[in-house]
Amino acid sequence: MRLSSWLLFPGVFICALSHVTNCEEQRIPEEKLLVVTVATKETDGFRRFLRSAKHFNYTVKVLGRGEKWRGGDYMSAPGGGQKVRLLKGALEEMKDEDKIILFIDSYDVVFASGPKELLKKFQQARHKVVFSSESLIWPDRHLEDKHPHVREGNRFLGSGGFIGFLPNIKEMVSSWTGKDSESDQLFFTKIYIDPAKRKSINITLDSKCRLFQNLHGALDEVVLKFEDSRVRARNVLYDTLPVTIHGNGPTKLQINYLGNYIPNTWTFETGCTVCHEDLRSLTALKESEYPLVVIGIFIQQPTPFVTVFFERLLKLQYPKNRLRLFIYNQEAHHERQVSSFLQDHGSLYQDVKLVGQEDMDAPASRNLGFDLCRKDKDCDYFFSLDIEVVLKNENTLKILIEQNLPVVAPMITRAGRLWSNFWGALSAEGYYARSEDYVDIVQGRRVGVWNVPYVSNVYLMKASLLRSELIDYDLFNSHTLDPDMAYCHNVRDKGIFMYVTNVHSFGRILSTENYQTSHLHNDLWQIFENPMDWQERYIHENYTRIMKDKLVETPCPDVYWFPIFSNVACNHLVEEMEHFGKWSGGGNVDTRIQGGYENVPTIDIHMNQINFEKEWHKFLLEFIAPITEKMYPGYYTKAQFDLAFVVRYRPDEQPSLRPHHDASTFTINIALNQVGLDYQGGGCRFLRYDCSVQAPRKGWALMHPGRLTHYHEGLPTTAGTRYIAVSFVDP
């Protein structure tokens, strides 16, 4: 009986039982195979399917191109009859009875292996038509008992993929007379559960997923298997390597995840193999030929370093006459920074539109921004950019445009955390879930361009989408989802792929938690929440080179002089103190200190008076202590202090300070403004060594021992106002 079943295959030689091993030589020629699929639209999923087919040299015939889809939305209800009609019509024109037809979906399918393996496994099935299988029955549960039982594997038919000889498939679809909106799955299921038809056409199921892997109902069974320079999906339940992977039903996100790897999109040996395909080069374009981009800037909460954000926006390497700005500002606190930027630089851009919270809420502002681009025929891209994004890469916009993708986000992270602006997976409720590769992508161990279900904060979208698939005005409103989640949901529902790229380093996102707005320069208080941004803003640009380039000077014995503060830090600290305004009187009685008496008084404001002592201690610990330990070997400090303050010297107020010792192990004295520009005179003289530092540099720190050896005085300020920040460390 087994031998006779082999006779059913036209074009396959009969193998004697004693020569079964020779059957390998009688394979079906690959040129006999034709892949047939239906695609009425060229979606992102269809292009992915074709790319995987091309990789393995499949011959593909596409049916229904340009036709309107009338097969219904069979994600939630039965449909797909249009596919059967199109297949039936195409088969009628084919005459080669030895031809093997693989009929398969395309929008949510990728090939994991080539024709040779496919045909071999088809032959091993020993039937003329082999359907994919499922563990779940659809669409009619009442037919469950009529399905043949299988010894092992899935029992139910899946219509998303089948392979067979041309005559047998012709016979199978010949009885189709249904409407385009009727169920293809139900049609094939009724043929399969009819014993006479099943035997006549010689149909079986690929129950162990050797040829076809349907993901619905099988997500726990499928894992990635990394081989040499290629990736397979392995069914761990049946220990098989399917040739095709189908994200049927509600498993579109899972096929997108697998498609990031299969068949060779990303491998450990080669990394990303498609990152440089289908790029849109800008290098040969004149500035006037660059795509027109609307940049939507959204300010929705009090945010640190807004001024720095606009400075970086100015540095973006893209012709400003090809940029239009749409700015939504919900925060009155930031009106000054926004208006200052627009007043100074708004004329550089082709157009600027500013709207505020009195005009609309945040979701409405994003809808409006999109619609401005949608209605402008010249708009090529919409670049959505939240104010808390720190774009360090000046070429970000060019890089994203060159990727030539529908929606693409530059990966940004939060320093020291696994937070990023994308999700690798979604929970069943549509919220965040961590994909297996999320940590590797965020930490840069896997580099590429990744198809993901959610992006936020910063992303680029092709304007053509807004005029086609995303013509609905309201993309950001939802009764149950946040605006960004609602937007991504709408994009996914249209079958549009969203990507995140970590091929380049782009930047990070600020923490807006605990951002207080009660000070003049609130960013000074961000050393804990956003330490990297604080350092970039307030620490001298040469600080990191102090030891490497030997920038520490020794103007007097055991007195060290080095750059520590940026100009901005000096200005902000002075302005903050003057804004606070409660300068001491310079007398010996001082209720601010323990004991209430100051032996060598100055006109000053203490750091704790402006609630800055914790931040100042952090500054000393992070940036002063390492220098101290290098300059004074064997001494280690925890940078404790009782007194840290800003001193003001004026000729008509307090011009100088008499000789004294400091109540410290060592003292830090930072010049906060510039001699010759802001004041005349000033400086510090160490009496024991008859050595003076008479031209303090703005932002530079003097560090010297406080007791015993370094008796010193403040030299007279003869004009203007001099400011210094002083800390008595380790009293």
Side-chain angles (χ1 to χ4, degrees), residues 223-442:
V223 298
L224 288 170
K225 181 178 187 292
F226 291 90
E227 299 177 345
D228 292 338
S229 298
R230 68 182 288 192
V231 187
R232 300 291 298 263
R234 176 172 173 249
N235 186 303
V236 294
L237 183 61
Y238 305 120
D239 195 21
T240 54
L241 297 173
V243 177
T244 69
I245 317 298
H246 182 197
N248 58 319
T251 62
K252 303 297 180 257
L253 301 187
Q254 286 75 21
I255 188 63
N256 290 350
Y257 168 76
L258 296 174
N260 282 328
Y261 297 93
I262 299 169
N264 73 328
T265 309
W266 189 96
T267 72
F268 283 107
E269 293 81 8
T270 62
C272 180
T273 64
V274 299
C275 290
H276 302 291
E277 292 182 3
D278 302 321
L279 298 182
R280 176 179 183 172
S281 176
L282 301 176
T283 53
L285 298 181
K286 300 175 184 176
E287 285 197 355
S288 60
E289 297 172 334
Y290 269 62
L292 181 66
V293 182
V294 173
I295 301 182
I297 298 167
F298 299 93
I299 308 172
Q300 295 181 215
Q301 66 275 319
T303 304
F305 304 107
V306 167
T307 301
V308 182
F309 171 91
F310 284 115
E311 289 172 2
R312 289 202 175 98
L313 183 66
L314 272 176
K315 294 177 182 177
L316 205 59
Q317 294 299 301
Y318 202 86
K320 290 181 175 52
N321 61 357
R322 302 300 293 162
L323 296 175
R324 296 177 181 172
L325 301 185
F326 171 81
I327 302 176
Y328 172 71
N329 180 22
Q330 188 175 301
E331 288 297 327
H333 174 70
H334 293 308
E335 286 177 0
R336 178 173 54 86
Q337 291 108 318
V338 174
S339 61
S340 175
F341 168 75
L342 293 181
Q343 183 176 343
D344 294 341
H345 308 291
S347 61
L348 297 174
Y349 297 90
Q350 190 181 108
D351 187 49
V352 176
K353 183 176 179 62
L354 173 64
V355 295
Q357 61 178 341
E358 66 279 357
D359 302 308
M360 61 192 68
D361 61 11
S365 73
R366 294 181 185 269
N367 285 326
L368 176 60
F370 273 22
D371 202 47
L372 290 174
C373 179
R374 180 187 288 119
K375 291 178 178 176
D376 182 354
K377 61 180 178 56
D378 294 325
C379 179
D380 296 302
Y381 292 93
F382 188 91
F383 186 41
S384 185
L385 183 59
D386 290 354
I387 197 73
E388 59 266 34
V389 172
V390 179
L391 272 190
K392 297 280 290 177
N393 191 327
E394 296 177 1
N395 292 304
T396 295
L397 187 52
K398 286 183 179 178
I399 291 168
L400 298 182
I401 289 174
E402 288 179 338
Q403 283 297 322
N404 198 25
L405 295 168
V407 180
V408 58
M411 188 189 78
I412 55 171
T413 58
R414 186 162 288 161
R417 294 172 60 181
L418 287 174
W419 188 97
S420 75
N421 64 321
F422 79 95
W423 296 349
L426 295 182
S427 68
E429 296 76 27
Y431 292 91
Y432 170 82
R434 181 172 290 182
S435 60
E436 292 180 10
D437 56 2
Y438 177 81
V439 174
D440 282 347
I441 293 172
V442 170

Side-chain angles (χ1 to χ4, degrees), residues 57 75 108 123 233 252 258 290 321 325 346 352 356 373 383 399 410 437 450 472 480 493 496 508 518 670 690:
N57 294 315
M75 275 279 291
D108 49 10
Q123 284 183 265
K252 303 297 180 257
L258 296 174
Y290 269 62
N321 61 357
L325 301 185
V352 176
C373 179
F383 186 41
I399 291 168
D437 56 2
W450 311 95
D472 292 341
T480 57
D493 265 8
I496 299 167
R508 55 185 176 269
S518 56
I670 305 172
D690 192 22

Side-chain angles (χ1 to χ4, degrees), residues 153-288:
N154 297 326
R155 182 181 169 196
F156 306 112
L157 176 145
S159 64
F162 56 86
I163 185 172
F165 284 96
L166 176 61
N168 303 78
I169 294 180
K170 272 187 177 181
E171 179 185 348
M172 183 171 65
V173 300
S174 62
S175 61
W176 173 263
T177 57
K179 298 177 182 178
D180 284 356
S181 58
E182 292 183 18
S183 172
D184 62 332
Q185 177 108 341
L186 187 59
F187 170 72
F188 290 122
T189 296
K190 287 182 175 179
I191 292 174
Y192 175 67
I193 62 176
D194 184 318
K197 291 181 179 178
R198 186 169 68 247
K199 182 177 180 181
S200 169
I201 302 170
N202 197 7
I203 304 174
T204 191
L205 300 187
D206 178 35
S207 295
K208 292 184 175 181
C209 307
R210 300 181 74 244
L211 292 98
F212 306 98
Q213 177 66 64
N214 289 313
L215 294 177
H216 189 33
L219 292 176
D220 293 337
E221 302 169 13
V222 180
V223 298
L224 288 170
K225 181 178 187 292
F226 291 90
E227 299 177 345
D228 292 338
S229 298
R230 68 182 288 192
V231 187
R232 300 291 298 263
R234 176 172 173 249
N235 186 303
V236 294
L237 183 61
Y238 305 120
D239 195 21
T240 54
L241 297 173
V243 177
T244 69
I245 317 298
H246 182 197
N248 58 319
T251 62
K252 303 297 180 257
L253 301 187
Q254 286 75 21
I255 188 63
N256 290 350
Y257 168 76
L258 296 174
N260 282 328
Y261 297 93
I262 299 169
N264 73 328
T265 309
W266 189 96
T267 72
F268 283 107
E269 293 81 8
T270 62
C272 180
T273 64
V274 299
C275 290
H276 302 291
E277 292 182 3
D278 302 321
L279 298 182
R280 176 179 183 172
S281 176
L282 301 176
T283 53
L285 298 181
K286 300 175 184 176
E287 285 197 355
S288 60

